[in-house]
Structure formats: structure tokens, C-alpha cells
């Protein structure tokens, strides 16, 4: 089974920030209708999830490490 753990960006009010809304590395919006990225989260299809973090890069690194654990055949690490 292939596991998936997509990254999702969210506004400060908790609403999903659409994928076509681009941001600077600090989360400032480059799209006129976007209030900006407040946090990023990821949830794996196995149930693992990473708590919301303002740093998209950090969440992505956690996601990559988690998915690699599936590829190595290890048990899924507990939620961080």
C-alpha cells in the first residue's frame, strides 16, 4: 500500500489556503485574495499527523522522514 501525506496550508482562521495561492518563504501572500499562510499541516493515510507549524519546510521534512519509515518497513512513528 502506498502511503500519502500531503501538505496543506491554512489561513489564521483555520480555513484551507488553496494550492494556487503562492506565498513568500515566510508565508506572506503573493495572491491578492489571500490573507497569508499561518500554518502548514500534514496527515498520513496511516493516521499519523504532524501538529500545525508555521514553518512549511519543517513540516515537509517531518513528512519526508515519516514516509521514509514506511518505505523501510518500520512501524509508523507516533504523532509529534
Amino acid at each position: 500500500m502506498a502511503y500519502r501525506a500531503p501538505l496543506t496550508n491554512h489561513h489564521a482562521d483555520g480555513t484551507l489556503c488553496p494550492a494556487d495561492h503562492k506565498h513568500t518563504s515566510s508565508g506572506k501572500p503573493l495572491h491578492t485574495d489571500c490573507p497569508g499562510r499561518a500554518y502548514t499541516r500534514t496527515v498520513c493515510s496511516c493516521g499519523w499527523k504532524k501538529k500545525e507549524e508555521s514553518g512549511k519546510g519543517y513540516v515537509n521534512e517531518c513528512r519526508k522522514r515519516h514516509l521514509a519509515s514506511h518505505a523501510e518497513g518500520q512501524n509508523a512513528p507516533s504523532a509529534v
Side-chain angles (χ1 to χ4, degrees), residues 21-80:
H21 286 190
K22 302 300 178 196
H23 309 90
T24 64
S25 59
S26 66
K28 292 180 182 166
L30 296 174
H31 190 277
T32 55
D33 296 332
C34 183
R37 180 184 70 232
Y39 61 91
T40 301
R41 84 167 51 139
T42 185
V43 177
C44 183
S45 55
C46 77
W48 173 88
K49 57 184 139 185
K50 176 70 184 107
K51 290 166 60 176
E52 293 85 10
E53 296 281 344
S54 60
K56 180 179 177 181
Y58 177 68
V59 175
N60 195 34
E61 286 300 316
C62 292
R63 179 186 74 86
K64 288 177 182 179
R65 280 194 302 273
H66 173 75
L67 290 173
S69 73
H70 285 302
E72 294 169 1
Q74 298 175 358
N75 291 329
S78 60
V80 175

Side-chain angles (χ1 to χ4, degrees), residues 3-21:
Y3 291 96
R4 294 182 30 87
L7 290 174
T8 54
N9 295 316
H10 300 264
H11 302 132
D13 64 2
T15 58
L16 185 64
C17 187
D20 64 335
H21 286 190

